[in-house]
Amino acid sequence: MSVSISTLHDFKSRREPFAVCTAYDATFAYEASAAGVEVLLVGDSLGMVLQGYDSTLPVTIEEMAYHTRCVSRGNQGALIMADMPFMTYGTLPACLDNAMKLMQAGAHMVKLEGGAWLEESIHSLARQGVPVCAHLGLTPQSVNKLGGYKVQGKTEQQADQVLQDALRLEQAGADIILVECIPTRLGQRLAEKLSVPVIGIGAGHHTDAQVLVIHDLLGLGKGKRPKFVKNFMQGNESIQAALKAYVSAVKTRQFPGEEHSFNL
Ligand code: KIV
């Protein structure tokens, strides 16, 4: 069965969480979708985990289109969401042109990072039939402005701002909101107030879905891992078993636990 935007909205109405992870190639796309992951995110995190950069900023639209085509060939019915990379949606013509490249490469929806300033772009994309996910909270493409990869929405005023931005973007036509590194309480408020599904990463267990970078959930790579990551290879003997364990833990709300969340 193929997952569509309406499948994800049905999950939200039934209060059944769905699982999302990144995929950048055909093999991992196959493994993750066969394990029951409902959404494959071709994330610009590929700049860090595949290309070895220390941020997502160097990733180009051509690279995103290439990896989206690879994922599309291995996918077994998941919805494919592709990231629009840094500075490829700053003007409306650029945004529409670059979204077209990702959709023609096999994406079913695009993801953009930012707040209320995205309203016009989201409205235009929606009008032209392109489903959109808006990424709020910690937005890695703005790491230089944010001063590092830090928890966002910590004060009441900041949390209200994230909520207001999310509501405006939903109103503009966003089909999904993704929030990264925010307090659990804010993740809960967003899931309750928005009609569209809210995907969380480091946003607590109340959101409508969870996402992880596939390398993180398989315990691959060097360096210190963020607090919100869990290595599902521990206790599982194969990649397929680890991915199934991730899907099951998301659906039963066993993941994320308190130890993976920001309870500020
Ligand atoms: O690029 C990515 O992998 C992402 C996730 C961290 C949500 O945007």
Side-chain angles (χ1 to χ4, degrees), residues 21-22 24 41-46 56 64 83 111 113 135 140-141 178-180 199-201 211-214 228:
C21 73
T22 63
Y24 316 107
L41 168 62
V42 189
D44 59 357
S45 51
L46 68 84
T56 58
M64 290 306 300
D83 259 338
K111 175 161 82 63
E113 294 184 9
H135 183 153
Q141 291 171 13
L178 186 149
V179 279
E180 178 166 355
I199 304 176
I201 176 165
V211 58
L212 280 180
V213 168
I214 195 161
F228 53 76

Side-chain angles (χ1 to χ4, degrees), residues 23-157:
Y24 316 107
D25 66 21
T27 302
F28 280 103
Y30 174 80
E31 291 292 337
S33 53
V37 170
E38 280 98 356
V39 179
L40 300 176
L41 168 62
V42 189
D44 59 357
S45 51
L46 68 84
M48 300 170 89
V49 293
L50 298 191
Q51 299 174 332
Y53 292 115
D54 62 2
S55 79
T56 58
L57 273 57
V59 178
T60 66
I61 192 72
E62 286 71 28
E63 289 165 345
M64 290 306 300
Y66 167 80
H67 287 282
T68 302
R69 277 195 296 276
C70 296
V71 166
S72 165
R73 289 185 208 116
N75 179 30
Q76 301 293 301
L79 183 139
I80 300 174
M81 178 193 295
D83 259 338
M84 299 197 58
F86 180 60
M87 297 290 279
T88 60
Y89 46 99
T91 63
L92 192 52
C95 177
L96 297 181
D97 192 43
N98 289 321
M100 179 185 74
K101 289 181 183 153
L102 297 181
M103 297 300 281
Q104 289 183 338
H108 302 120
M109 79 185 300
V110 297
K111 175 161 82 63
L112 286 70
E113 294 184 9
W117 67 272
L118 291 174
E119 266 178 321
E120 190 194 4
S121 304
I122 291 179
H123 186 66
S124 293
L125 288 166
R127 212 175 38 207
Q128 309 224 25
V130 179
V132 182
C133 172
H135 183 153
L136 300 165
L138 170 58
T139 45
Q141 291 171 13
S142 307
V143 61
N144 294 303
K145 190 88 176 157
L146 297 174
Y149 298 100
K150 298 175 182 165
V151 182
Q152 303 295 308
K154 286 199 319 203
T155 66
E156 194 145 334
Q157 198 186 2

Side-chain angles (χ1 to χ4, degrees), residues 124-224:
S124 293
L125 288 166
R127 212 175 38 207
Q128 309 224 25
V130 179
V132 182
C133 172
H135 183 153
L136 300 165
L138 170 58
T139 45
Q141 291 171 13
S142 307
V143 61
N144 294 303
K145 190 88 176 157
L146 297 174
Y149 298 100
K150 298 175 182 165
V151 182
Q152 303 295 308
K154 286 199 319 203
T155 66
E156 194 145 334
Q157 198 186 2
Q158 290 162 348
D160 287 346
Q161 185 64 56
V162 175
L163 180 59
Q164 288 317 313
D165 282 0
L167 287 165
R168 282 178 65 172
L169 296 182
E170 174 181 68
Q171 190 64 34
D175 300 274
I176 295 186
I177 301 290
L178 186 149
V179 279
E180 178 166 355
C181 273
I182 56 165
T184 299
R185 172 79 191 107
L186 176 56
Q188 180 173 14
R189 278 175 76 198
L190 286 159
E192 285 170 1
K193 297 268 183 226
L194 294 167
S195 324
V196 298
V198 177
I199 304 176
I201 176 165
H205 63 282
H206 297 288
T207 54
D208 304 304
Q210 300 292 332
V211 58
L212 280 180
V213 168
I214 195 161
H215 291 62
D216 288 341
L217 81 87
L218 296 177
L220 299 170
K222 58 181 168 51
K224 190 170 173 282

